[in-house]
mmCIF file of all heavy atoms in Angstrom:
data_model
loop_
_atom_site.group_PDB
_atom_site.id
_atom_site.type_symbol
_atom_site.label_atom_id
_atom_site.label_comp_id
_atom_site.label_asym_id
_atom_site.label_seq_id
_atom_site.Cartn_x
_atom_site.Cartn_y
_atom_site.Cartn_z
ATOM 1 N N ALA A 118 -13.080 10.126 14.847
ATOM 2 C CA ALA A 118 -12.094 9.128 14.411
ATOM 3 C C ALA A 118 -10.679 9.671 14.506
ATOM 4 O O ALA A 118 -9.746 8.933 14.827
ATOM 5 C CB ALA A 118 -12.402 8.675 12.983
ATOM 6 N N SER A 119 -10.520 10.958 14.266
ATOM 7 C CA SER A 119 -9.163 11.534 14.307
ATOM 8 C C SER A 119 -8.643 11.682 15.731
ATOM 9 O O SER A 119 -7.451 11.909 15.924
ATOM 10 C CB SER A 119 -9.124 12.890 13.578
ATOM 11 O OG SER A 119 -9.697 13.923 14.345
ATOM 12 N N SER A 120 -9.528 11.542 16.715
ATOM 13 C CA SER A 120 -9.067 11.617 18.106
ATOM 14 C C SER A 120 -8.396 10.319 18.547
ATOM 15 O O SER A 120 -7.710 10.291 19.570
ATOM 16 C CB SER A 120 -10.229 11.973 19.035
ATOM 17 O OG SER A 120 -11.152 10.913 19.109
ATOM 18 N N ALA A 121 -8.587 9.254 17.797
ATOM 19 C CA ALA A 121 -7.918 7.988 18.088
ATOM 20 C C ALA A 121 -6.456 8.085 17.660
ATOM 21 O O ALA A 121 -6.080 8.949 16.877
ATOM 22 C CB ALA A 121 -8.609 6.848 17.348
ATOM 23 N N HIS A 122 -5.652 7.204 18.145
ATOM 24 C CA HIS A 122 -4.235 7.192 17.784
ATOM 25 C C HIS A 122 -4.021 6.356 16.522
ATOM 26 O O HIS A 122 -3.149 5.482 16.482
ATOM 27 C CB HIS A 122 -3.389 6.663 18.939
ATOM 28 C CG HIS A 122 -3.432 7.547 20.137
ATOM 29 N ND1 HIS A 122 -2.858 8.795 20.173
ATOM 30 C CD2 HIS A 122 -4.026 7.387 21.345
ATOM 31 C CE1 HIS A 122 -3.075 9.357 21.336
ATOM 32 N NE2 HIS A 122 -3.780 8.522 22.077
ATOM 33 N N LYS A 123 -4.838 6.644 15.516
ATOM 34 C CA LYS A 123 -4.765 5.926 14.250
ATOM 35 C C LYS A 123 -4.956 6.926 13.117
ATOM 36 O O LYS A 123 -5.252 8.093 13.341
ATOM 37 C CB LYS A 123 -5.854 4.846 14.178
ATOM 38 C CG LYS A 123 -5.677 3.739 15.203
ATOM 39 C CD LYS A 123 -6.747 2.693 15.043
ATOM 40 C CE LYS A 123 -6.546 1.541 16.029
ATOM 41 N NZ LYS A 123 -7.486 0.462 15.750
ATOM 42 N N TRP A 124 -4.812 6.459 11.880
ATOM 43 C CA TRP A 124 -4.928 7.291 10.689
ATOM 44 C C TRP A 124 -6.342 7.344 10.144
ATOM 45 O O TRP A 124 -7.141 6.439 10.383
ATOM 46 C CB TRP A 124 -4.026 6.737 9.575
ATOM 47 C CG TRP A 124 -2.584 6.662 9.955
ATOM 48 C CD1 TRP A 124 -1.879 5.522 10.239
ATOM 49 C CD2 TRP A 124 -1.684 7.743 10.109
ATOM 50 N NE1 TRP A 124 -0.579 5.855 10.554
ATOM 51 C CE2 TRP A 124 -0.434 7.203 10.485
ATOM 52 C CE3 TRP A 124 -1.801 9.122 9.960
ATOM 53 C CZ2 TRP A 124 0.692 7.997 10.711
ATOM 54 C CZ3 TRP A 124 -0.678 9.910 10.186
ATOM 55 C CH2 TRP A 124 0.542 9.349 10.559
ATOM 56 N N ILE A 125 -6.620 8.390 9.397
ATOM 57 C CA ILE A 125 -7.816 8.466 8.561
ATOM 58 C C ILE A 125 -7.302 8.349 7.132
ATOM 59 O O ILE A 125 -6.517 9.188 6.675
ATOM 60 C CB ILE A 125 -8.573 9.789 8.757
ATOM 61 C CG1 ILE A 125 -9.090 9.899 10.185
ATOM 62 C CG2 ILE A 125 -9.720 9.899 7.740
ATOM 63 C CD1 ILE A 125 -9.746 11.217 10.506
ATOM 64 N N LEU A 126 -7.712 7.294 6.452
ATOM 65 C CA LEU A 126 -7.205 7.010 5.116
ATOM 66 C C LEU A 126 -8.245 7.320 4.052
ATOM 67 O O LEU A 126 -9.403 6.918 4.176
ATOM 68 C CB LEU A 126 -6.803 5.535 5.015
ATOM 69 C CG LEU A 126 -5.810 5.025 6.057
ATOM 70 C CD1 LEU A 126 -5.580 3.527 5.879
ATOM 71 C CD2 LEU A 126 -4.493 5.783 5.964
ATOM 72 N N PHE A 127 -7.828 8.034 3.017
ATOM 73 C CA PHE A 127 -8.658 8.301 1.847
ATOM 74 C C PHE A 127 -8.037 7.542 0.683
ATOM 75 O O PHE A 127 -6.823 7.635 0.462
ATOM 76 C CB PHE A 127 -8.670 9.794 1.505
ATOM 77 C CG PHE A 127 -9.534 10.628 2.404
ATOM 78 C CD1 PHE A 127 -9.129 10.956 3.695
ATOM 79 C CD2 PHE A 127 -10.756 11.104 1.961
ATOM 80 C CE1 PHE A 127 -9.923 11.731 4.515
ATOM 81 C CE2 PHE A 127 -11.564 11.886 2.783
ATOM 82 C CZ PHE A 127 -11.139 12.200 4.066
ATOM 83 N N THR A 128 -8.854 6.804 -0.055
ATOM 84 C CA THR A 128 -8.310 6.117 -1.233
ATOM 85 C C THR A 128 -7.933 7.160 -2.285
ATOM 86 O O THR A 128 -8.406 8.301 -2.245
ATOM 87 C CB THR A 128 -9.326 5.116 -1.835
ATOM 88 O OG1 THR A 128 -10.465 5.829 -2.300
ATOM 89 C CG2 THR A 128 -9.708 4.038 -0.829
ATOM 90 N N ALA A 129 -7.112 6.751 -3.225
ATOM 91 C CA ALA A 129 -6.661 7.655 -4.285
ATOM 92 C C ALA A 129 -7.829 8.164 -5.118
ATOM 93 O O ALA A 129 -7.767 9.264 -5.673
ATOM 94 C CB ALA A 129 -5.648 6.940 -5.170
ATOM 95 N N GLN A 130 -8.900 7.401 -5.199
ATOM 96 C CA GLN A 130 -10.058 7.738 -6.022
ATOM 97 C C GLN A 130 -11.033 8.677 -5.318
ATOM 98 O O GLN A 130 -12.052 9.066 -5.883
ATOM 99 C CB GLN A 130 -10.804 6.456 -6.429
ATOM 100 C CG GLN A 130 -9.987 5.499 -7.254
ATOM 101 C CD GLN A 130 -9.090 4.577 -6.425
ATOM 102 O OE1 GLN A 130 -8.938 4.730 -5.225
ATOM 103 N NE2 GLN A 130 -8.479 3.614 -7.089
ATOM 104 N N THR A 131 -10.743 9.054 -4.085
ATOM 105 C CA THR A 131 -11.663 9.818 -3.271
ATOM 106 C C THR A 131 -11.203 11.262 -3.102
ATOM 107 O O THR A 131 -10.085 11.509 -2.681
ATOM 108 C CB THR A 131 -11.787 9.187 -1.871
ATOM 109 O OG1 THR A 131 -12.095 7.810 -2.023
ATOM 110 C CG2 THR A 131 -12.868 9.854 -1.054
ATOM 111 N N PRO A 132 -12.078 12.227 -3.427
ATOM 112 C CA PRO A 132 -11.708 13.628 -3.197
ATOM 113 C C PRO A 132 -11.658 13.917 -1.700
ATOM 114 O O PRO A 132 -12.445 13.371 -0.923
ATOM 115 C CB PRO A 132 -12.828 14.412 -3.869
ATOM 116 C CG PRO A 132 -13.985 13.476 -3.918
ATOM 117 C CD PRO A 132 -13.416 12.091 -4.007
ATOM 118 N N LEU A 133 -10.735 14.750 -1.313
ATOM 119 C CA LEU A 133 -10.609 15.130 0.088
ATOM 120 C C LEU A 133 -11.550 16.279 0.410
ATOM 121 O O LEU A 133 -11.817 17.124 -0.443
ATOM 122 C CB LEU A 133 -9.165 15.553 0.384
ATOM 123 C CG LEU A 133 -8.128 14.445 0.308
ATOM 124 C CD1 LEU A 133 -6.726 15.031 0.287
ATOM 125 C CD2 LEU A 133 -8.285 13.495 1.474
ATOM 126 N N PRO A 134 -12.016 16.352 1.654
ATOM 127 C CA PRO A 134 -12.839 17.489 2.067
ATOM 128 C C PRO A 134 -12.025 18.779 2.031
ATOM 129 O O PRO A 134 -10.794 18.755 2.053
ATOM 130 C CB PRO A 134 -13.231 17.162 3.508
ATOM 131 C CG PRO A 134 -12.930 15.726 3.695
ATOM 132 C CD PRO A 134 -11.853 15.377 2.730
ATOM 133 N N ASP A 135 -12.708 19.888 2.041
ATOM 134 C CA ASP A 135 -12.076 21.188 2.101
ATOM 135 C C ASP A 135 -11.368 21.331 3.454
ATOM 136 O O ASP A 135 -11.919 20.952 4.495
ATOM 137 C CB ASP A 135 -13.150 22.270 1.930
ATOM 138 C CG ASP A 135 -12.557 23.659 1.909
ATOM 139 O OD1 ASP A 135 -11.923 23.997 0.891
ATOM 140 O OD2 ASP A 135 -12.724 24.380 2.914
ATOM 141 N N LEU A 136 -10.173 21.877 3.436
ATOM 142 C CA LEU A 136 -9.381 22.047 4.653
ATOM 143 C C LEU A 136 -10.146 22.853 5.704
ATOM 144 O O LEU A 136 -10.141 22.510 6.881
ATOM 145 C CB LEU A 136 -8.051 22.720 4.328
ATOM 146 C CG LEU A 136 -7.151 23.052 5.512
ATOM 147 C CD1 LEU A 136 -6.793 21.799 6.295
ATOM 148 C CD2 LEU A 136 -5.901 23.762 5.032
ATOM 149 N N LYS A 137 -10.835 23.905 5.287
ATOM 150 C CA LYS A 137 -11.589 24.720 6.238
ATOM 151 C C LYS A 137 -12.695 23.919 6.904
ATOM 152 O O LYS A 137 -12.959 24.098 8.098
ATOM 153 C CB LYS A 137 -12.163 25.950 5.538
ATOM 154 C CG LYS A 137 -11.111 26.958 5.139
ATOM 155 C CD LYS A 137 -11.723 28.134 4.425
ATOM 156 C CE LYS A 137 -10.610 29.064 3.934
ATOM 157 N NZ LYS A 137 -11.142 30.206 3.197
ATOM 158 N N ASP A 138 -13.351 23.037 6.153
ATOM 159 C CA ASP A 138 -14.385 22.184 6.732
ATOM 160 C C ASP A 138 -13.779 21.252 7.775
ATOM 161 O O ASP A 138 -14.333 21.077 8.861
ATOM 162 C CB ASP A 138 -15.088 21.353 5.661
ATOM 163 C CG ASP A 138 -16.004 22.172 4.780
ATOM 164 O OD1 ASP A 138 -16.394 23.298 5.180
ATOM 165 O OD2 ASP A 138 -16.342 21.687 3.684
ATOM 166 N N LEU A 139 -12.662 20.648 7.433
ATOM 167 C CA LEU A 139 -12.006 19.744 8.380
ATOM 168 C C LEU A 139 -11.619 20.483 9.655
ATOM 169 O O LEU A 139 -11.866 20.003 10.768
ATOM 170 C CB LEU A 139 -10.764 19.112 7.738
ATOM 171 C CG LEU A 139 -11.016 18.135 6.602
ATOM 172 C CD1 LEU A 139 -9.705 17.802 5.893
ATOM 173 C CD2 LEU A 139 -11.683 16.873 7.118
ATOM 174 N N GLN A 140 -11.016 21.644 9.491
ATOM 175 C CA GLN A 140 -10.576 22.408 10.650
ATOM 176 C C GLN A 140 -11.748 22.901 11.495
ATOM 177 O O GLN A 140 -11.664 22.907 12.721
ATOM 178 C CB GLN A 140 -9.705 23.585 10.203
ATOM 179 C CG GLN A 140 -8.365 23.146 9.664
ATOM 180 C CD GLN A 140 -7.562 24.283 9.063
ATOM 181 O OE1 GLN A 140 -8.105 25.286 8.609
ATOM 182 N NE2 GLN A 140 -6.249 24.131 9.057
ATOM 183 N N SER A 141 -12.849 23.302 10.853
ATOM 184 C CA SER A 141 -13.990 23.811 11.610
ATOM 185 C C SER A 141 -14.637 22.726 12.469
ATOM 186 O O SER A 141 -15.255 23.024 13.483
ATOM 187 C CB SER A 141 -15.021 24.462 10.684
ATOM 188 O OG SER A 141 -15.655 23.500 9.888
ATOM 189 N N TYR A 142 -14.478 21.458 12.082
ATOM 190 C CA TYR A 142 -15.007 20.341 12.885
ATOM 191 C C TYR A 142 -13.926 19.676 13.722
ATOM 192 O O TYR A 142 -14.141 18.623 14.298
ATOM 193 C CB TYR A 142 -15.736 19.340 11.986
ATOM 194 C CG TYR A 142 -17.065 19.892 11.567
ATOM 195 C CD1 TYR A 142 -17.192 20.633 10.396
ATOM 196 C CD2 TYR A 142 -18.178 19.735 12.387
ATOM 197 C CE1 TYR A 142 -18.414 21.188 10.040
ATOM 198 C CE2 TYR A 142 -19.397 20.289 12.039
ATOM 199 C CZ TYR A 142 -19.504 21.019 10.866
ATOM 200 O OH TYR A 142 -20.699 21.574 10.526
ATOM 201 N N ARG A 143 -12.770 20.312 13.756
ATOM 202 C CA ARG A 143 -11.634 19.855 14.579
ATOM 203 C C ARG A 143 -11.158 18.456 14.216
ATOM 204 O O ARG A 143 -10.830 17.650 15.075
ATOM 205 C CB ARG A 143 -11.984 19.965 16.050
ATOM 206 C CG ARG A 143 -12.231 21.407 16.445
ATOM 207 C CD ARG A 143 -12.265 21.583 17.931
ATOM 208 N NE ARG A 143 -12.362 23.010 18.211
ATOM 209 C CZ ARG A 143 -13.243 23.544 19.014
ATOM 210 N NH1 ARG A 143 -14.088 22.784 19.650
ATOM 211 N NH2 ARG A 143 -13.265 24.837 19.215
ATOM 212 N N VAL A 144 -11.130 18.193 12.917
ATOM 213 C CA VAL A 144 -10.525 16.954 12.435
ATOM 214 C C VAL A 144 -9.016 17.166 12.492
ATOM 215 O O VAL A 144 -8.506 18.181 12.012
ATOM 216 C CB VAL A 144 -10.965 16.626 10.993
ATOM 217 C CG1 VAL A 144 -10.236 15.398 10.462
ATOM 218 C CG2 VAL A 144 -12.477 16.432 10.938
ATOM 219 N N ASP A 145 -8.299 16.241 13.089
ATOM 220 C CA ASP A 145 -6.837 16.334 13.167
ATOM 221 C C ASP A 145 -6.260 16.015 11.791
ATOM 222 O O ASP A 145 -6.104 14.853 11.424
ATOM 223 C CB ASP A 145 -6.309 15.373 14.228
ATOM 224 C CG ASP A 145 -4.813 15.498 14.449
ATOM 225 O OD1 ASP A 145 -4.124 16.178 13.653
ATOM 226 O OD2 ASP A 145 -4.317 14.895 15.417
ATOM 227 N N CYS A 146 -5.952 17.059 11.036
ATOM 228 C CA CYS A 146 -5.478 16.891 9.650
ATOM 229 C C CYS A 146 -4.120 16.213 9.558
ATOM 230 O O CYS A 146 -3.752 15.721 8.491
ATOM 231 C CB CYS A 146 -5.450 18.241 8.947
ATOM 232 S SG CYS A 146 -7.090 18.974 8.765
ATOM 233 N N GLU A 147 -3.391 16.172 10.643
ATOM 234 C CA GLU A 147 -2.100 15.491 10.635
ATOM 235 C C GLU A 147 -2.258 13.975 10.622
ATOM 236 O O GLU A 147 -1.292 13.255 10.424
ATOM 237 C CB GLU A 147 -1.254 15.936 11.826
ATOM 238 C CG GLU A 147 -0.831 17.387 11.683
ATOM 239 C CD GLU A 147 0.270 17.788 12.626
ATOM 240 O OE1 GLU A 147 0.910 16.899 13.211
ATOM 241 O OE2 GLU A 147 0.484 18.995 12.766
ATOM 242 N N LYS A 148 -3.480 13.508 10.813
ATOM 243 C CA LYS A 148 -3.731 12.067 10.790
ATOM 244 C C LYS A 148 -4.360 11.612 9.480
ATOM 245 O O LYS A 148 -4.722 10.463 9.335
ATOM 246 C CB LYS A 148 -4.624 11.678 11.962
ATOM 247 C CG LYS A 148 -3.918 11.856 13.298
ATOM 248 C CD LYS A 148 -4.766 11.393 14.429
ATOM 249 C CE LYS A 148 -4.007 11.568 15.741
ATOM 250 N NZ LYS A 148 -4.880 11.311 16.881
ATOM 251 N N ILE A 149 -4.485 12.529 8.526
ATOM 252 C CA ILE A 149 -5.087 12.191 7.234
ATOM 253 C C ILE A 149 -4.010 11.738 6.266
ATOM 254 O O ILE A 149 -2.989 12.400 6.101
ATOM 255 C CB ILE A 149 -5.852 13.393 6.647
ATOM 256 C CG1 ILE A 149 -7.059 13.710 7.521
ATOM 257 C CG2 ILE A 149 -6.280 13.105 5.210
ATOM 258 C CD1 ILE A 149 -7.811 14.940 7.081
ATOM 259 N N ILE A 150 -4.273 10.614 5.635
ATOM 260 C CA ILE A 150 -3.373 10.084 4.607
ATOM 261 C C ILE A 150 -4.193 9.830 3.350
ATOM 262 O O ILE A 150 -5.237 9.187 3.410
ATOM 263 C CB ILE A 150 -2.710 8.767 5.052
ATOM 264 C CG1 ILE A 150 -1.809 8.999 6.271
ATOM 265 C CG2 ILE A 150 -1.919 8.150 3.901
ATOM 266 C CD1 ILE A 150 -1.196 7.736 6.826
ATOM 267 N N GLN A 151 -3.716 10.353 2.238
ATOM 268 C CA GLN A 151 -4.337 10.041 0.937
ATOM 269 C C GLN A 151 -3.477 8.930 0.329
ATOM 270 O O GLN A 151 -2.291 9.109 0.085
ATOM 271 C CB GLN A 151 -4.327 11.253 0.019
ATOM 272 C CG GLN A 151 -4.819 10.927 -1.378
ATOM 273 C CD GLN A 151 -6.208 11.432 -1.657
ATOM 274 O OE1 GLN A 151 -6.486 12.573 -1.392
ATOM 275 N NE2 GLN A 151 -7.058 10.591 -2.189
ATOM 276 N N LEU A 152 -4.081 7.778 0.132
ATOM 277 C CA LEU A 152 -3.371 6.647 -0.447
ATOM 278 C C LEU A 152 -3.067 6.910 -1.914
ATOM 279 O O LEU A 152 -3.863 7.541 -2.611
ATOM 280 C CB LEU A 152 -4.201 5.371 -0.297
ATOM 281 C CG LEU A 152 -4.556 4.979 1.140
ATOM 282 C CD1 LEU A 152 -5.543 3.827 1.139
ATOM 283 C CD2 LEU A 152 -3.319 4.628 1.918
ATOM 284 N N ARG A 153 -1.956 6.445 -2.367
ATOM 285 C CA ARG A 153 -1.615 6.551 -3.784
ATOM 286 C C ARG A 153 -2.348 5.463 -4.563
ATOM 287 O O ARG A 153 -2.694 4.420 -4.017
ATOM 288 C CB ARG A 153 -0.118 6.388 -3.976
ATOM 289 C CG ARG A 153 0.668 7.527 -3.382
ATOM 290 C CD ARG A 153 2.133 7.381 -3.676
ATOM 291 N NE ARG A 153 2.879 8.427 -2.992
ATOM 292 C CZ ARG A 153 4.154 8.385 -2.774
ATOM 293 N NH1 ARG A 153 4.876 7.350 -3.193
ATOM 294 N NH2 ARG A 153 4.758 9.381 -2.157
ATOM 295 N N PRO A 154 -2.555 5.690 -5.851
ATOM 296 C CA PRO A 154 -3.220 4.651 -6.662
ATOM 297 C C PRO A 154 -2.388 3.367 -6.675
ATOM 298 O O PRO A 154 -1.163 3.410 -6.754
ATOM 299 C CB PRO A 154 -3.282 5.251 -8.063
ATOM 300 C CG PRO A 154 -3.011 6.706 -7.895
ATOM 301 C CD PRO A 154 -2.228 6.866 -6.633
ATOM 302 N N SER A 155 -3.061 2.255 -6.593
ATOM 303 C CA SER A 155 -2.381 0.964 -6.639
ATOM 304 C C SER A 155 -2.395 0.432 -8.066
ATOM 305 O O SER A 155 -3.414 0.491 -8.747
ATOM 306 C CB SER A 155 -3.070 -0.036 -5.719
ATOM 307 O OG SER A 155 -2.477 -1.304 -5.847
ATOM 308 N N THR A 156 -1.276 -0.100 -8.487
ATOM 309 C CA THR A 156 -1.206 -0.726 -9.808
ATOM 310 C C THR A 156 -1.511 -2.217 -9.731
ATOM 311 O O THR A 156 -1.706 -2.857 -10.754
ATOM 312 C CB THR A 156 0.186 -0.529 -10.433
ATOM 313 O OG1 THR A 156 1.162 -1.086 -9.548
ATOM 314 C CG2 THR A 156 0.475 0.939 -10.668
ATOM 315 N N LYS A 157 -1.573 -2.749 -8.504
ATOM 316 C CA LYS A 157 -1.761 -4.186 -8.322
ATOM 317 C C LYS A 157 -3.103 -4.569 -7.700
ATOM 318 O O LYS A 157 -3.546 -5.694 -7.847
ATOM 319 C CB LYS A 157 -0.640 -4.739 -7.433
ATOM 320 C CG LYS A 157 0.736 -4.575 -8.031
ATOM 321 C CD LYS A 157 1.794 -5.079 -7.098
ATOM 322 C CE LYS A 157 3.181 -4.811 -7.678
ATOM 323 N NZ LYS A 157 4.234 -5.235 -6.783
ATOM 324 N N SER A 158 -3.722 -3.631 -6.996
ATOM 325 C CA SER A 158 -4.939 -3.959 -6.247
ATOM 326 C C SER A 158 -6.092 -3.048 -6.666
ATOM 327 O O SER A 158 -5.882 -1.891 -6.991
ATOM 328 C CB SER A 158 -4.701 -3.780 -4.748
ATOM 329 O OG SER A 158 -3.639 -4.597 -4.302
ATOM 330 N N SER A 159 -7.299 -3.598 -6.577
ATOM 331 C CA SER A 159 -8.494 -2.794 -6.830
ATOM 332 C C SER A 159 -8.747 -1.907 -5.613
ATOM 333 O O SER A 159 -8.190 -2.131 -4.532
ATOM 334 C CB SER A 159 -9.696 -3.702 -7.060
ATOM 335 O OG SER A 159 -10.042 -4.358 -5.846
ATOM 336 N N GLU A 160 -9.620 -0.945 -5.769
ATOM 337 C CA GLU A 160 -9.946 -0.075 -4.639
ATOM 338 C C GLU A 160 -10.559 -0.886 -3.499
ATOM 339 O O GLU A 160 -10.259 -0.647 -2.329
ATOM 340 C CB GLU A 160 -10.895 1.051 -5.061
ATOM 341 C CG GLU A 160 -11.165 2.032 -3.940
ATOM 342 C CD GLU A 160 -12.068 3.181 -4.325
ATOM 343 O OE1 GLU A 160 -12.767 3.088 -5.366
ATOM 344 O OE2 GLU A 160 -12.112 4.164 -3.574
ATOM 345 N N ILE A 161 -11.379 -1.868 -3.822
ATOM 346 C CA ILE A 161 -11.981 -2.727 -2.791
ATOM 347 C C ILE A 161 -10.885 -3.448 -2.002
ATOM 348 O O ILE A 161 -10.933 -3.514 -0.776
ATOM 349 C CB ILE A 161 -12.961 -3.738 -3.417
ATOM 350 C CG1 ILE A 161 -14.150 -3.000 -4.026
ATOM 351 C CG2 ILE A 161 -13.422 -4.773 -2.395
ATOM 352 C CD1 ILE A 161 -15.039 -3.868 -4.893
ATOM 353 N N GLU A 162 -9.903 -3.981 -2.699
ATOM 354 C CA GLU A 162 -8.802 -4.681 -2.031
ATOM 355 C C GLU A 162 -7.989 -3.715 -1.163
ATOM 356 O O GLU A 162 -7.567 -4.078 -0.056
ATOM 357 C CB GLU A 162 -7.903 -5.352 -3.068
ATOM 358 C CG GLU A 162 -8.575 -6.500 -3.789
ATOM 359 C CD GLU A 162 -7.802 -6.968 -5.023
ATOM 360 O OE1 GLU A 162 -7.117 -6.154 -5.677
ATOM 361 O OE2 GLU A 162 -7.893 -8.176 -5.312
ATOM 362 N N VAL A 163 -7.779 -2.513 -1.640
ATOM 363 C CA VAL A 163 -7.034 -1.502 -0.873
ATOM 364 C C VAL A 163 -7.788 -1.162 0.409
ATOM 365 O O VAL A 163 -7.206 -1.106 1.495
ATOM 366 C CB VAL A 163 -6.779 -0.240 -1.727
ATOM 367 C CG1 VAL A 163 -6.266 0.915 -0.874
ATOM 368 C CG2 VAL A 163 -5.790 -0.542 -2.856
#
Side-chain angles (χ1 to χ4, degrees):
S119 76
S120 69
H122 296 291
K123 295 182 178 187
W124 301 107
I125 297 175
L126 305 176
F127 284 76
T128 64
Q130 299 84 351
T131 308
L133 292 167
D135 183 72
L136 176 59
K137 290 179 185 178
D138 288 341
L139 292 169
Q140 290 173 334
S141 69
Y142 285 91
R143 297 193 174 130
V144 175
D145 185 349
C146 296
E147 292 194 15
K148 293 184 179 172
I149 293 176
I150 296 176
Q151 174 105 49
L152 301 172
R153 293 184 185 162
S155 175
T156 58
K157 298 178 184 178
S158 302
S159 69
E160 185 179 17
I161 295 169
E162 292 167 329
V163 168

